[in-house]
């Protein structure tokens, strides 16, 4: 049986949920979202602080800023155990929350998008952004070539790093734990 993979995303339809803002570093500066979605380790000093944009029900998985995964310590522990070479977990304080949270960084970037099975569009010269020509402009109905994934359990697809992908094993563990805030879509 072929291994299955899933896009892990923030379930924005959870009622009365919190919404997290972009994390702030130990010097009080907002961090760059793209530093956390490159598929490589992030180098920071000190703990991050994550303000809440909208107060509400805390979640075990949510996104801060644009695609920065934030997980409760129980999720972080599971990921550290099952996918230690695929993740970096950065301690973060969320205002008003006594529980421990960590920023989840996928440290693997894999060139695996199945361009035939996905709906992809590319930047072209006529778009007027020369440094992006040939890169993905959009990826809908994302499908990956599972043969290119190897033993990865948590990763981002090269060229479309806004997506966080997890193996079926990780998906099942998250569901078995009753994690709030996570939604999955098979890729």
């Amino acid at each position: 049986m072929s291994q299955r993979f899933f896009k892990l995303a923030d379930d924005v339809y959870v009622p009365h949920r919190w919404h997290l803002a972009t994390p702030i570093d130990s010097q009080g500066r907002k961090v760059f979202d793209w530093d956390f979605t490159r598929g490589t380790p992030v180098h920071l000093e000190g703990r991050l602080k994550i303000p809440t944009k909208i107060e509400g029900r805390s979640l075990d998985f949510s996104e801060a800023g644009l695609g920065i995964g934030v997980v409760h310590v129980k999720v972080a522990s599971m990921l550290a155990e099952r996918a230690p070479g695929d993740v970096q977990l950065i301690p973060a304080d969320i205002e008003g929350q006594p529980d421990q949270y960590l920023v989840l960084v996928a440290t693997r970037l894999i060139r695996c998008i199945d361009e035939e099975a996905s709906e992809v569009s590319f930047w072209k010269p006529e778009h007027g952004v020369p440094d992006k020509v040939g890169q993905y402009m959009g990826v809908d109905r994302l499908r990956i070539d599972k043969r290119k994934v190897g033993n990865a359990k948590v990763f981002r697809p090269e060229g479309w790093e806004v997506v966080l992908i997890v193996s079926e094993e990780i998906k099942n563990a998250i569901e078995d734990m009753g994690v709030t805030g996570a939604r999955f879509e098979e890729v």
Side-chain angles (χ1 to χ4, degrees), residues 111-128:
R111 186 159 202 72
C112 62
I113 294 176
D114 184 337
E115 294 177 3
E116 298 296 319
S118 305
E119 285 184 19
V120 298
S121 58
F122 297 92
W123 288 93
K124 298 177 182 172
E126 56 267 26
H127 292 126

Side-chain angles (χ1 to χ4, degrees), residues 120-141:
V120 298
S121 58
F122 297 92
W123 288 93
K124 298 177 182 172
E126 56 267 26
H127 292 126
V129 188
D131 59 324
K132 290 194 175 245
V133 171
Q135 296 178 27
Y136 295 121
M137 183 175 170
V139 179
D140 292 318
R141 297 190 192 147

Side-chain angles (χ1 to χ4, degrees), residues 25-37:
D25 68 16
S26 59
Q27 280 75 47
R29 299 177 299 229
K30 282 186 176 183
V31 298
F32 294 110
D33 301 89
W34 57 83
D35 284 339
F36 294 86
T37 60

Side-chain angles (χ1 to χ4, degrees), residues 12-88:
V12 296
Y13 299 106
V14 172
H16 313 294
R17 57 159 288 155
W18 68 6
H19 290 271
L20 302 177
T22 301
I24 297 168
D25 68 16
S26 59
Q27 280 75 47
R29 299 177 299 229
K30 282 186 176 183
V31 298
F32 294 110
D33 301 89
W34 57 83
D35 284 339
F36 294 86
T37 60
R38 287 188 186 151
T40 59
V42 175
H43 303 287
L44 290 172
E45 290 190 25
R47 295 176 72 85
L48 291 171
K49 290 186 174 132
I50 304 176
T52 51
K53 282 198 274 189
I54 299 173
E55 289 188 29
R57 178 178 163 208
S58 61
L59 301 173
D60 299 324
F61 175 86
S62 50
E63 292 176 345
L66 298 174
I68 300 173
V70 178
V71 295
H72 187 274
V73 66
K74 69 181 182 182
V75 180
S77 295
M78 180 274 294
L79 291 167
E81 180 184 313
R82 293 180 184 234
D86 297 349
V87 298
Q88 175 186 11

